[in-house]
Amino acid sequence: MARRPGTQRIGIADVATRAGVSHATVSRVMNGNFTVDPEIAARVRTAAAELNYQPNPVGRSLALGRTDTIGIVVPDLANPTFQAILRGLSMAAAQDGYRVLIADSSEVSSEEAILAGEARRRCDGVVLCAPRMSDAELEELAPSLHPMVLINRSTDAAQTPSLMVDYGLGIQELARHLVDLGHRKLAFLSGPERSASNAQRLVGLDKFRTDHPEIQLEILPGGSNFDSGHESAEAILASGATGILAFNDLVAMGLLSGLHERGVRVPEDMSITGFDDIPFARYTTPPLTTAAVPITELGDLAWRRMRELIQNKDAEAPRNTFQPQVEVRGSTGPAKA
Amino acid sequence: MARRPGTQRIGIADVATRAGVSHATVSRVMNGNFTVDPEIAARVRTAAAELNYQPNPVGRSLALGRTDTIGIVVPDLANPTFQAILRGLSMAAAQDGYRVLIADSSEVSSEEAILAGEARRRCDGVVLCAPRMSDAELEELAPSLHPMVLINRSTDAAQTPSLMVDYGLGIQELARHLVDLGHRKLAFLSGPERSASNAQRLVGLDKFRTDHPEIQLEILPGGSNFDSGHESAEAILASGATGILAFNDLVAMGLLSGLHERGVRVPEDMSITGFDDIPFARYTTPPLTTAAVPITELGDLAWRRMRELIQNKDAEAPRNTFQPQVEVRGSTGPAKA
DNA sequence: CTGAAAGCGCTAACAA
DNA sequence: TTGTTAGCGCTTTCAG
């Protein structure tokens, strides 16, 4: 093998030589194996300290078949929701000495399978966050990705815990809130086509329609970011609706800004709701009424499920569903008389 | 060695057996080595496909001494600035087939060295993002972390490219903007103690004071997030200043919200500036005047520097400094007559 | 309690 | 062109 010239890294062998023992013994000491003579152990430790030795994790991983790393695949790292999940996951995993490797599919659903496989091979498990791929593909992929934890999706494949948010319920509650305020014409600014959570919102709204036949509800095409909200201001005005359900907080904020530019007052002239309760939501002007999703906790729980899977070969694979919590703030108010 | 029972992964040996060749040949084929007989190569490829073989990156990494992964250490993954840098880095690295491993030091400067070392051992290089450690520690650590790229810090250690933002200049320009609008009493809501970029802002403001002895400028203690901005509203009002320089956009947004609650109109009663130009800045009400830092590009460039270091053992280690660009929006206006 | 040796999955020098 | 063989740095069984 070509030993790369510059590579002057200290290995277990160097420590062994300096301590006058075999590398097996060094390995034992480094791993806190107490079957080693205390005096020898001390000698090894001194040698290691003097050489500033740090075990090479790659060699260790190969020997152990374990990397102490988990992967996460997200559709878009620019989205605060996924950022928060990543953060929750990373903090929780770090507590247990695990690291996280990230992969951003840039909303390209065909990339997801490749990225997920790639990540899985380098890691001990993989978290798929709101995957855009089809149910069939997801189920087919699952065995090769195991241990895997799903966020915002579920699958029939075995051993795959799933963390879901009841977007359908959340959007219904927001709609009801607007109705309670006297709004009779509502509009939903919808999200990305391939988003499963958008589909859930639409189902929820169908139910809402059934429950409230007297209320007018228009569905408008939209997106998932500021700009799409901002651009929709005109269409929203044209719709004549006074209660607006935005796909998420980002869209709501963009809309808020677009309406402000047109002199529309919120909530006096129009009420707006978001979804997710990202940290920014309470700081908009006016503060955003929204449905709070415990996003960071989602990441946290994802790690706990993953840990169960890693530790317990045949762990349960529960499906948790979180109920969004409506947070009434300043962006919604009584409909004009 | 204990072969873990469940592990049914297909290795290069299985492919070799099935194709009736040695694993060396399989390796050659998998790596696109053209010295292999086309017919044999085809046979290997079929076997690999039939077995759905995917090379194990850990074995590969050990053999090559290369992981095709880089690490990034950030002080706080909840901060949109670091999220954006991470995103820029990740996208750019992905283009070249590299992944990124993240480590969040949670603003604990004593953790940074450990996390950075950990990350470095698992990766081919490490990006240190706004490290909180001392200059001395940074310089001492540098050799063991090489290849390393620094963001928002620099060091005298050799071979360490540095990506800097001229916060001192940016804050001066914002201050000048406020003065041009007629403000005579300014206040700076400062950031975290250990933040090097906060120190740079303070130096810039010292210079500003020298240049504008007629202007009153008060420095108030603060923080780096919404809440600290929100909590500072009272102190800001008490200061009597009409032009407020917030540490960053988050602080400015919190302040905006705090002032709104107290009935202070922005910009009519008071002008507020942020710093960074995070995506949310243009969507606050009113939109935030701020100094734009090309954050995502910073991540992108960090990768390019890293790539140079990895490819070119003795690459240059330039220090790039970015000039923030003042973006005048609605949160600043003429001082009251 | 310790060392020798095998093996994790792969790459690459060397020989045939 | 291909196979044999020796590592990469570590863990762990098995003798001693």
Side-chain angles (χ1 to χ4, degrees):
Chain A
M1 256 288 315
R3 146 165 275 144
R4 298 188 327 169
T7 312
Q8 270 295 33
R9 211 159 214 84
I10 292 125
I12 202 171
D14 303 292
V15 181
T17 308
R18 174 175 265 254
V21 295
S22 72
H23 37 277
T25 299
V26 177
S27 173
R28 291 189 187 101
V29 174
M30 298 310 289
N31 292 302
N33 187 324
F34 287 113
T35 70
V36 180
D37 182 291
E39 197 185 320
I40 296 196
R43 215 163 70 215
V44 169
R45 261 188 281 273
T46 332
E50 285 168 352
L51 294 172
N52 194 17
Y53 167 69
Q54 303 286 148
N56 177 332
V58 181
R60 191 153 204 276
S61 292
L62 187 59
L64 291 174
R66 170 160 65 77
T67 62
D68 294 344
T69 302
I70 58 165
I72 181 172
V73 183
V74 296
D76 177 15
L77 212 46
N79 186 322
T81 304
F82 301 135
Q83 289 166 354
I85 291 174
L86 165 63
R87 182 162 152 266
L89 183 75
S90 159
M91 305 301 309
Q95 288 287 322
D96 291 315
Y98 276 70
R99 295 124 208 91
V100 3
L101 188 77
I102 61 177
D104 183 336
S105 73
S106 303
E107 296 274 4
V108 182
S109 74
S110 56
E111 279 292 292
E112 287 179 333
I114 296 156
L115 289 173
E118 257 282 330
R120 178 60 187 85
R121 257 164 269 132
R122 299 190 124 78
C123 301
D124 300 343
V126 63
V127 174
L128 256 50
C129 197
R132 271 34 175 158
M133 69 182 77
S134 72
D135 281 338
E137 203 180 348
L138 189 55
E139 188 167 348
E140 190 193 323
L141 219 55
S144 76
L145 257 30
H146 182 269
M148 159 171 97
V149 173
L150 242 32
I151 295 183
N152 266 3
R153 279 292 283 280
S154 65
T155 177
D156 289 333
Q159 290 266 285
T160 307
S162 202
L163 271 40
M164 312 274 289
V165 174
D166 197 336
Y167 293 98
L169 186 70
I171 202 85
Q172 285 180 74
E173 291 185 349
L174 286 171
R176 214 162 303 151
H177 164 64
L178 291 174
V179 169
D180 290 346
L181 286 169
H183 295 276
R184 291 292 169 265
K185 295 187 75 169
L186 308 186
F188 173 60
L189 209 45
S190 55
E193 298 265 333
R194 303 199 64 104
S195 157
S197 79
N198 188 55
Q200 286 184 54
R201 287 173 178 85
L202 290 172
V203 171
L205 288 175
D206 264 352
K207 187 149 187 315
F208 172 82
R209 271 180 170 139
T210 315
D211 296 348
H212 299 265
E214 78 285 7
I215 303 294
Q216 214 177 309
L217 170 60
E218 189 168 350
I219 311 281
L220 299 173
S224 61
N225 52 28
F226 282 122
D227 289 335
S228 64
H230 193 262
E231 286 162 16
S232 300
E234 209 58 64
I236 287 291
L237 280 173
S239 77
T242 63
I244 315 299
L245 301 153
F247 173 67
N248 65 17
D249 292 339
L250 260 50
V251 172
M253 289 170 70
L255 179 59
L256 226 43
S257 143
L259 292 174
H260 182 76
E261 289 168 9
R262 287 169 177 73
V264 180
R265 291 167 310 158
V266 176
E268 292 82 358
D269 302 331
M270 199 177 271
S271 287
I272 311 283
T273 66
F275 211 116
D276 286 346
D277 196 24
I278 61 175
F280 297 86
R282 66 180 71 224
Y283 291 100
T284 56
T285 315
L288 205 56
T289 293
T290 189
V293 175
I295 348 185
T296 309
E297 277 172 52
L298 227 60
D300 192 277
L301 186 55
W303 166 244
R304 298 215 297 281
R305 290 277 170 274
M306 179 60 78
R307 193 180 49 189
E308 288 166 10
L309 247 41
I310 291 176
Q311 290 175 349
N312 224 327
K313 273 299 184 192
D314 36 42
E316 296 280 314
R319 292 190 193 182
N320 288 87
T321 302
F322 291 85
Q323 308 300 345
Q325 188 73 36
V326 171
E327 295 286 338
V328 178
R329 303 208 180 99
S331 68
T332 50
K336 279 199 276 202
Chain B
M1 257 288 315
R3 143 164 280 142
R4 298 189 324 170
T7 312
Q8 269 295 32
R9 211 159 212 83
I10 292 124
I12 203 171
D14 303 291
V15 181
T17 309
R18 174 175 264 254
V21 296
S22 71
H23 41 276
T25 299
V26 177
S27 173
R28 288 194 267 260
V29 173
M30 298 309 290
N31 292 301
N33 187 327
F34 288 112
T35 70
V36 180
D37 182 291
E39 197 184 319
I40 297 196
R43 215 163 69 215
V44 169
R45 262 187 282 272
T46 328
E50 284 168 353
L51 294 172
N52 193 17
Y53 166 70
Q54 304 284 147
N56 177 331
V58 180
R60 192 155 202 274
S61 292
L62 188 58
L64 291 174
R66 171 158 66 76
T67 62
D68 293 344
T69 302
I70 57 165
I72 180 172
V73 183
V74 296
D76 178 15
L77 212 46
N79 186 322
T81 304
F82 301 134
Q83 290 166 353
I85 291 176
L86 166 63
R87 183 161 153 266
L89 183 74
S90 159
M91 305 301 311
Q95 289 286 323
D96 291 315
Y98 276 71
R99 295 125 208 89
V100 2
L101 189 77
I102 61 176
D104 183 335
S105 73
S106 303
E107 297 272 5
V108 182
S109 75
S110 57
E111 280 292 290
E112 287 179 334
I114 295 156
L115 289 173
E118 256 285 329
R120 178 59 186 86
R121 257 164 268 133
R122 298 189 124 77
C123 301
D124 300 344
V126 64
V127 175
L128 255 51
C129 200
R132 272 31 175 160
M133 69 182 78
S134 71
D135 280 339
E137 201 179 351
L138 189 54
E139 187 167 348
E140 189 192 325
L141 219 55
S144 76
L145 258 29
H146 183 270
M148 160 171 99
V149 172
L150 242 33
I151 295 182
N152 265 4
R153 278 293 283 279
S154 65
T155 177
D156 288 333
Q159 291 267 286
T160 306
S162 202
L163 271 40
M164 312 275 288
V165 174
D166 197 336
Y167 293 98
L169 187 69
I171 202 82
Q172 285 180 72
E173 291 185 350
L174 286 171
R176 214 163 302 152
H177 165 64
L178 291 173
V179 170
D180 289 347
L181 286 168
H183 296 276
R184 291 293 169 266
K185 295 186 76 169
L186 308 185
F188 173 60
L189 209 46
S190 55
E193 298 264 333
R194 305 198 62 103
S195 157
S197 79
N198 187 56
Q200 287 183 52
R201 288 174 177 85
L202 290 173
V203 171
L205 289 176
D206 264 352
K207 189 149 185 318
F208 172 82
R209 270 180 171 141
T210 315
D211 295 349
H212 299 266
E214 77 285 7
I215 303 294
Q216 216 176 309
L217 170 59
E218 192 169 347
I219 311 283
L220 298 173
S224 62
N225 52 28
F226 283 123
D227 290 333
S228 63
H230 194 263
E231 287 163 17
S232 300
E234 209 58 63
I236 288 290
L237 280 173
S239 77
T242 62
I244 316 298
L245 301 154
F247 173 68
N248 64 17
D249 292 340
L250 261 51
V251 171
M253 290 170 70
L255 179 60
L256 227 43
S257 144
L259 292 174
H260 184 76
E261 288 168 12
R262 287 171 176 73
V264 180
R265 293 167 307 160
V266 175
E268 293 81 357
D269 302 330
M270 202 179 268
S271 287
I272 312 282
T273 65
F275 211 115
D276 286 347
D277 196 22
I278 63 175
F280 296 85
R282 67 179 70 224
Y283 291 100
T284 56
T285 316
L288 205 57
T289 293
T290 189
V293 176
I295 348 187
T296 309
E297 278 171 51
L298 227 59
D300 193 277
L301 187 56
W303 165 245
R304 297 216 298 282
R305 290 278 170 275
M306 179 59 78
R307 191 179 53 190
E308 288 166 10
L309 246 41
I310 291 174
Q311 290 174 349
N312 223 326
K313 274 299 186 193
D314 35 42
E316 295 279 315
R319 292 189 192 183
N320 287 86
T321 301
F322 291 83
Q323 309 300 342
Q325 188 74 35
V326 171
E327 296 285 339
V328 177
R329 303 208 180 97
S331 68
T332 50
K336 280 201 273 200

